[in-house]
Amino acid sequence: MAPHIDDALLDDPDELLRKDSRQTLRALATAGAQVRESVTLAQEAGIDRFAQLDRPRSVLVAALGGSALVADVLELLAEPGSPVPVQARRNLPLPGWVGPLDLVVAVSLSGRAPGPLAIAAEAARRGASLLTVGADDSPLADVCRRARGVHIGVGRARTSSRTSLWSLLTPVLLGADAIGIVDTPAEGMTEVAERLDEAAETYRPTSESFVNPAKLLALQLAETVPMVLGDGPLSGVAAARAASMLARTARVPAPWGELPDAASQIVACFDGPYTAIGGRRPGTYDAGRIRLGDIDTSGWEPHHFAEPEGDLAEIPRGQSGQDIFADPFLDGPSMPQLGLLTLRDAPVEPPTSESAQSQALTDAVLETARDAGVRVMDVIAQPGRPLTRLAELVSTADFTATYLALGLGLDPSVSPHVADLNDRTR
């Protein structure tokens, strides 16, 4: 049975504010301001120093948890044309090849995350160049300054890495631009900030659910067992973020994938118990009929062997597969429906052969999903620079997960079980 979501609550700004104890929605709405503030902080900290240095042999990014997306985004943007390799690392050991010719980037909002802090310290010991992002009064900042690296603060009122993504990501991209591995100059960040401002306005708490895409998605996702699919590398990064936010913020597990590699694993789920097909298509159980000879019937009572009259018909394509005459008290609650949230990059203009193939595969997956009775939710980015398009998809996922948490009666920023885990591992 699907969890109950209070749709009336989503249209009550005062109640949303009351349940959102650490003002997650407000923090997400500051994303555009985070970009602008971080550009200023990075310039004041001397990010331009990297433009005066020789290009490093490689770049290693240490980030984890809510900050891990920083490494994913840098890898995504650098991969097409970077003259040097970019690699992500969560914790020690620092690869043996890292030395004075390399740049190590360590990101931690608090400046105290053990993995990035340990990697920064070891990189400094080996003489690597350092770029760190985090709280100014932190061990990470001290390590960087002793190594004569560049440390960039995250400004005030940044309490969660999940809602401070752009305070962490912007300085890293400016540093990567300075050494020539990505094209993300300070002036180009203006477009990103504006797109994030537009998203914050569209997804604001006072916007009613019938015109608020994030609230609509939250209502739809609450009725499903969700999966998230990106249609390519850029939207794949957004899909990973969406799955993480659904789990960490809304407490809803959601597997994710990226086309083309994940097509089979996503489509295979359409044969499972959460769709109209539910294992009852031809070639599985004889068009929906279970053969008693194929299963172990030892220990069954006589009434277990009673078969319905006539053959069970194959479920028509595109139907929910739910029995409208089912009694939830006698038959038990019905299974929730499988949901597919697709995050799609803006169409390539003019189209190329590669984009046409990608579009055809995406269309085929969505058609297959609808035929199987999967609830499809489709989000498509508007045109813009790659980072701008990614920002739009990430913002949609962030607001959606937060509204889903609030609608389910959960505080998006406080998890009792995470608190228990932290207490037990101190």
Side-chain angles (χ1 to χ4, degrees):
M1 183 172 65
H4 171 71
I5 184 168
D6 188 347
D7 53 347
L9 184 151
L10 293 183
D11 287 333
D12 186 340
D14 294 334
E15 188 65 11
L16 287 173
L17 181 62
R18 189 183 70 81
K19 289 187 175 295
D20 190 2
S21 68
R22 298 184 183 176
Q23 301 184 356
T24 303
L25 288 171
R26 182 172 296 177
L28 291 175
T30 68
Q34 290 178 34
V35 172
R36 298 183 185 92
E37 180 186 42
S38 295
V39 169
T40 300
L41 292 174
Q43 292 172 340
E44 292 175 349
I47 195 70
D48 293 339
R49 280 174 45 190
F50 288 104
Q52 302 167 8
L53 303 176
D54 293 336
R55 180 179 291 153
R57 177 180 58 183
S58 69
V59 178
L60 184 142
V61 186
L64 50 77
S67 306
L69 192 69
V70 173
D72 297 337
V73 174
L74 184 57
E75 283 186 301
L76 168 75
L77 298 179
E79 189 175 47
S82 173
V84 302
V86 177
Q87 184 180 113
R89 200 78 177 185
R90 303 289 187 259
N91 209 330
L92 291 175
L94 187 66
W97 47 262
V98 174
L101 299 179
D102 305 298
L103 170 65
V104 171
V105 180
V107 180
S108 167
L109 184 69
S110 67
R112 291 173 169 79
L117 180 58
I119 285 178
E122 176 62 15
R125 189 187 69 80
R126 297 188 194 177
S129 299
L130 269 185
L131 169 61
T132 60
V133 182
D136 277 322
D137 55 343
S138 67
L140 183 63
D142 291 340
V143 167
C144 185
R145 287 166 183 148
R146 286 198 302 269
R148 298 183 179 180
V150 175
H151 178 80
I152 301 167
V154 291
R156 299 179 180 179
R158 304 287 178 250
T159 59
S160 168
S161 57
R162 281 178 287 145
T163 59
S164 304
L165 170 64
W166 296 97
S167 291
L168 301 170
L169 176 59
T170 303
V172 174
L173 295 179
L174 294 176
D177 177 79
I179 61 176
I181 66 172
V182 296
D183 182 22
T184 53
E187 54 271 19
M189 301 302 290
T190 301
E191 180 184 293
V192 176
E194 291 174 351
R195 186 68 62 91
L196 290 168
D197 288 342
E198 292 171 4
E201 174 66 18
T202 301
Y203 305 143
R204 67 190 186 279
T206 55
S207 173
E208 295 182 337
S209 57
F210 64 89
V211 293
N212 187 321
K215 290 183 180 180
L216 282 172
L217 279 175
L219 291 170
Q220 293 171 342
L221 284 169
E223 299 174 348
T224 70
V225 175
M227 300 187 297
V228 189
L229 181 64
D231 69 344
L234 185 145
S235 54
V237 170
R241 168 73 171 190
S244 174
M245 288 294 287
L246 286 171
R248 185 65 178 84
T249 300
R251 283 64 142 185
V252 173
W256 69 276
E258 172 190 320
L259 294 178
D261 295 344
S264 296
Q265 77 177 42
I266 292 293
V267 171
C269 295
F270 302 167
D271 297 323
Y274 300 107
T275 66
I277 299 300
R280 292 172 292 214
R281 67 185 303 161
T284 55
Y285 292 115
D286 193 7
R289 192 173 189 177
I290 300 176
R291 298 179 184 277
L292 296 178
D294 294 338
I295 57 177
D296 181 7
T297 59
S298 59
W300 283 31
E301 298 296 330
H303 68 273
H304 288 144
F305 294 91
E307 296 190 50
E309 296 181 1
D311 292 331
L312 298 178
E314 180 183 355
I315 295 176
R317 295 171 61 164
Q319 295 187 9
S320 67
Q322 296 181 347
D323 184 356
I324 61 173
F325 299 107
D327 187 324
F329 295 99
L330 297 177
D331 302 325
S334 60
M335 298 287 278
Q337 182 182 13
L338 189 67
L340 180 63
L341 172 59
T342 57
L343 301 179
R344 302 168 68 179
D345 199 357
V348 175
E349 295 295 344
T352 64
S353 59
E354 291 81 4
S355 68
Q357 291 177 357
S358 175
Q359 181 67 48
L361 176 59
T362 302
D363 291 344
V365 170
L366 296 184
E367 182 181 2
T368 305
R370 293 188 178 102
D371 285 348
V374 176
R375 186 164 193 169
V376 175
M377 295 150 279
D378 209 5
V379 177
I380 305 175
Q382 299 301 306
R385 295 164 64 92
L387 184 60
T388 305
R389 306 195 307 268
L390 178 65
E392 179 183 343
L393 293 175
V394 167
S395 183
T396 301
D398 290 354
F399 275 97
T400 296
T402 304
Y403 282 126
L404 179 56
L406 292 166
L408 294 175
L410 303 170
D411 188 331
S413 57
V414 179
S415 169
H417 285 92
V418 172
D420 289 345
L421 177 64
N422 291 336
D423 290 342
R424 291 168 178 162
T425 54
R426 283 177 180 171

